[in-house]
Amino acid sequence: MKKSQLNSSVFLFVLIISFSVSWAALSSILDVTTGSQDFLGCLQSNSNNVTSISQLTFTYGNASFLPTWQVHVQNTRFLKPSTPKPSVIVTPVDETLVQTTLHCAKKHGYELRIRSGGHDYEGLSYTADVPFVMLDFTNMRSIDVDVANRTAWVQAGAALGALYYAISQKTDTLYFPAGVCPTVGVGGYMGGGGYGNLLRKYGTAADNVIDVRFMDVNGNILDRKSMGEDLFWAIRGGGASSFGIVLEWKLRLVPVPEKVTVFLLNKTLEEGATQIFHKYQYVAPTIDRNLHIRTQVFAEYIGNTTKKTIRIMFEGIYQGTSDTLLPLLDQKFPELGVTREICEEIRMVQSTLVFWGLPSSTPTEILTNRSAIAKLNNKSKSDYVRTPIPINGLKKIWRKLMENDQSALLMINPFGGRIADYSETAIPYPHRAGVLLQMLKTVNFNGQASDTTPTSLRRMAWLRSLDELLTPYVSKNPREAYANYNDLDFGILEVLLMKKQVFGVKGTGRGTISKS
């Protein structure tokens, strides 16, 4: 009887607080008091060190739960009370706890989300609308660089910046061909293919993965030999977490000169930016593979006037000295106007700083400090360009950018070179021969309390309308998108497309989408 009265009291309390707490949050609260305890009990009963388990797991009742979840949320638009959070966070220090976590998640019906760096564009590595356990690899981030054999073993929780720094501490003539954002986690990055400033010289990051330590759904730890070539093929570009848990990647390091040359210059419409960019589409993907020129496109006001212009930032990195670079550009792309005065010869590791927007003189130790690198607050989409965009198309894009409230950015990387040498089926990364440019489109929510304010929603709507405008100028049948740039609009837009087709209205062009 007393137990019945107690249950009734608990029910009334829950009923009362439900008026001020969302049902999603309420479900989480109830889950903590039931399933989470069962899960934790499973961990403890399957471990020889209960004390260690208690120090490496966090639930809502733990003061460290929210800070542990927040610290590697790299897109701050998800840092809000309404974001669904894990029932339990597990931060293993060894593979044994990973196995136990997998076993207990399966036993108690939890989804398992895996976070290495926290850069998932839709927060899918640390949020879910169902009860889930987050396996956070923050404590498994060792890096073992073998200069003699030009390889490195890198645990899933290590970030790219830490990898670059570790290599640079042993040699200036080897590097790894991955991205420029220092806080991106190695674990998930390779699984989507991975591209960066060396893609025209050495291909994708996944093209340079040579072995792996991988845990399958049954907790077996496999390497390339024991898993077989089919699975090894799939996890390099097909999304490794679709198949299991990457514990560690073995990477092939590539040769670089002791000094590389970087340059940065800006061109506005008044300085011929449209014509220069038009030629850039032909030159950048076909020029010497040692040269990579990234562009960033902004709309901005001219001085203190109310008139807007377009500014295009050209950021170049050349695997060699300016003495060789300048004659190359004079011959192939004189319109760009690169001069010796704007060229800087630096170590490869310093170029990562420069492309992240930091001075080359910044101490390279910052690459190992995730908290020192600014986080993002945005929504992004991707596209691939296979045919040069004509002048009139570029002008339409520029006008669209000028409609924006200066929260938008286009970041464009040229392809071609080594990345195109591989067959589109070499690994599950199909964006190969024929791709001229990869385009990242983004809007930020800076100055907004959340991504749901009226201003934020207008920015989101503008980004979707840009997607529509770009349809004639980007790849089609299918329209390609980069697997590592998650975009949950895909499913929504496909539904809208079907509705528009039923009523005979022009669609979005997002029919079949390649997710590599």
Side-chain angles (χ1 to χ4, degrees):
M1 183 70 177
K2 289 182 179 180
K3 184 176 181 180
S4 175
Q5 291 174 339
L6 178 62
N7 289 341
S8 298
S9 299
V10 171
F11 174 76
L12 287 173
F13 173 72
V14 171
L15 184 64
I16 292 169
I17 67 170
S18 68
F19 288 99
S20 58
V21 180
S22 70
W23 281 111
L26 179 57
S27 297
S28 297
I29 292 171
L30 293 174
D31 179 68
V32 167
T33 63
T34 55
S36 296
Q37 295 305 317
D38 293 338
F39 175 83
L40 292 175
C42 178
L43 288 183
Q44 292 168 354
S45 64
N46 285 275
S47 172
N48 294 324
N49 191 336
V50 174
T51 301
S52 175
I53 293 292
S54 66
Q55 294 171 343
L56 299 173
T57 57
F58 308 92
T59 64
Y60 282 96
N62 190 300
S64 297
F65 174 85
L66 196 58
T68 301
W69 179 80
Q70 288 177 334
V71 67
H72 294 316
V73 173
Q74 300 296 345
N75 193 336
T76 60
R77 75 182 174 104
F78 296 108
L79 290 177
K80 52 189 178 184
S82 61
T83 298
K85 298 174 181 64
S87 301
V88 183
I89 300 172
V90 182
T91 59
V93 294
D94 57 40
E95 296 173 352
T96 301
L97 184 51
V98 178
Q99 287 174 315
T100 306
T101 301
L102 174 61
H103 165 75
C104 293
K106 290 170 61 180
K107 181 177 180 180
H108 293 283
Y110 282 105
E111 279 195 6
L112 192 61
R113 298 295 171 108
I114 304 163
R115 185 170 77 175
S116 56
H119 268 272
D120 188 294
Y121 272 28
E122 296 286 6
L124 301 181
S125 63
Y126 50 84
T127 71
D129 291 325
V130 296
F132 73 103
V133 171
M134 186 179 83
L135 189 61
D136 190 339
F137 277 105
T138 186
N139 292 326
M140 292 179 64
R141 54 179 188 269
S142 71
I143 300 169
D144 182 14
V145 176
D146 183 344
V147 173
N149 290 304
R150 296 186 175 184
T151 61
W153 275 103
V154 187
Q155 282 189 313
L160 293 179
L163 170 61
Y164 300 148
Y165 180 77
I167 297 170
S168 73
Q169 293 305 289
K170 293 193 172 184
T171 177
D172 283 327
T173 58
L174 292 175
Y175 216 60
F176 186 70
V180 299
C181 181
T183 52
V184 167
V186 167
Y189 176 79
M190 312 295 172
Y195 74 94
N197 285 344
L198 290 172
L199 69 90
R200 301 190 64 255
K201 180 77 171 178
Y202 294 114
T204 70
D207 291 327
N208 292 278
V209 170
I210 54 180
D211 208 340
V212 67
R213 284 184 62 79
F214 183 83
M215 187 177 296
D216 69 13
V217 69
N218 296 314
N220 301 311
I221 296 178
L222 310 172
D223 60 10
R224 178 175 184 171
K225 183 177 180 180
S226 58
M227 71 170 53
E229 287 301 306
D230 285 348
L231 181 54
F232 185 64
W233 175 88
I235 64 175
R236 293 173 298 143
S241 61
S242 300
F243 304 94
I245 304 170
V246 171
L247 303 168
E248 196 168 10
W249 295 105
K250 185 178 184 180
L251 311 177
R252 177 192 299 114
L253 305 184
V254 299
V256 295
E258 288 188 0
K259 291 292 179 71
V260 299
T261 303
V262 297
F263 63 84
L264 185 154
L265 59 83
N266 292 278
K267 296 289 184 180
T268 63
L269 296 185
E270 294 72 25
E271 296 169 320
T274 302
Q275 290 71 25
I276 294 171
F277 186 86
H278 185 254
K279 182 168 182 180
Y280 165 84
Q281 299 175 99
Y282 293 88
V283 174
T286 60
I287 203 168
D288 188 323
R289 297 181 180 197
N290 287 302
L291 177 59
H292 183 83
I293 307 175
R294 185 178 77 176
T295 55
Q296 297 190 57
V297 186
F298 314 83
E300 61 185 21
Y301 288 101
I302 301 175
N304 294 322
T305 72
T306 57
K307 183 180 178 181
K308 282 186 175 180
T309 189
I310 294 295
R311 175 168 61 89
I312 304 179
M313 181 189 300
F314 294 84
E315 302 169 285
I317 175 170
Y318 178 68
Q319 301 296 305
T321 67
S322 54
D323 286 339
T324 309
L325 169 65
L326 292 172
L328 173 66
L329 286 172
D330 286 344
Q331 178 187 4
K332 301 289 187 178
F333 202 6
E335 298 86 350
L336 190 55
V338 175
T339 62
R340 190 176 297 275
E341 288 71 27
I342 67 169
C343 292
E344 185 180 11
E345 295 181 7
I346 56 179
R347 300 159 62 207
M348 188 67 194
V349 68
Q350 292 175 288
S351 74
T352 298
L353 297 171
V354 171
F355 271 73
W356 190 241
L358 299 172
S360 62
S361 58
T362 305
T364 55
E365 287 81 2
I366 196 173
L367 294 173
T368 67
N369 185 354
R370 295 190 192 189
S371 62
I373 305 296
K375 295 188 176 186
L376 304 174
N377 182 16
N378 61 16
K379 165 70 176 180
S380 299
K381 296 175 175 291
S382 63
D383 264 310
Y384 289 86
V385 176
R386 289 179 174 267
T387 303
I389 302 172
I391 292 287
N392 65 341
L394 293 176
K395 289 180 177 179
K396 290 179 182 178
I397 297 169
W398 303 162
R399 286 194 293 270
K400 189 67 180 177
L401 281 169
M402 289 184 192
E403 294 175 7
N404 183 265
D405 62 359
Q406 293 188 279
S407 64
L409 162 69
L410 300 183
M411 183 175 291
I412 300 165
N413 278 276
F415 272 39
R418 180 60 176 158
I419 197 170
D421 291 344
Y422 291 90
S423 162
E424 66 178 20
T425 60
I427 61 173
Y429 181 90
H431 318 292
R432 301 288 190 172
V435 173
L436 301 177
L437 309 170
Q438 184 197 61
M439 184 182 298
L440 171 67
K441 307 154 293 181
T442 185
V443 291
N444 68 62
F445 305 111
N446 298 341
Q448 299 302 302
S450 75
D451 60 350
T452 58
T453 66
T455 296
S456 293
L457 293 176
R458 282 195 297 272
R459 292 175 181 177
M460 198 90 78
W462 177 90
L463 181 62
R464 290 167 180 151
S465 67
L466 173 66
D467 223 26
E468 180 81 29
L469 175 69
L470 286 169
T471 300
Y473 309 114
V474 297
S475 60
K476 52 186 65 68
N477 300 320
R479 183 169 179 174
E480 300 165 81
Y482 179 38
N484 273 349
Y485 292 163
N486 282 336
D487 179 9
L488 295 183
D489 278 352
F490 284 169
I492 295 171
L493 291 177
E494 285 178 336
V495 171
L496 292 176
L497 175 60
M498 287 188 287
K499 289 181 178 179
K500 288 183 177 183
Q501 288 174 336
V502 169
F503 292 101
V505 181
K506 182 180 178 183
T508 64
R510 281 280 189 193
T512 304
I513 300 168
S514 170
K515 290 285 288 177
S516 62

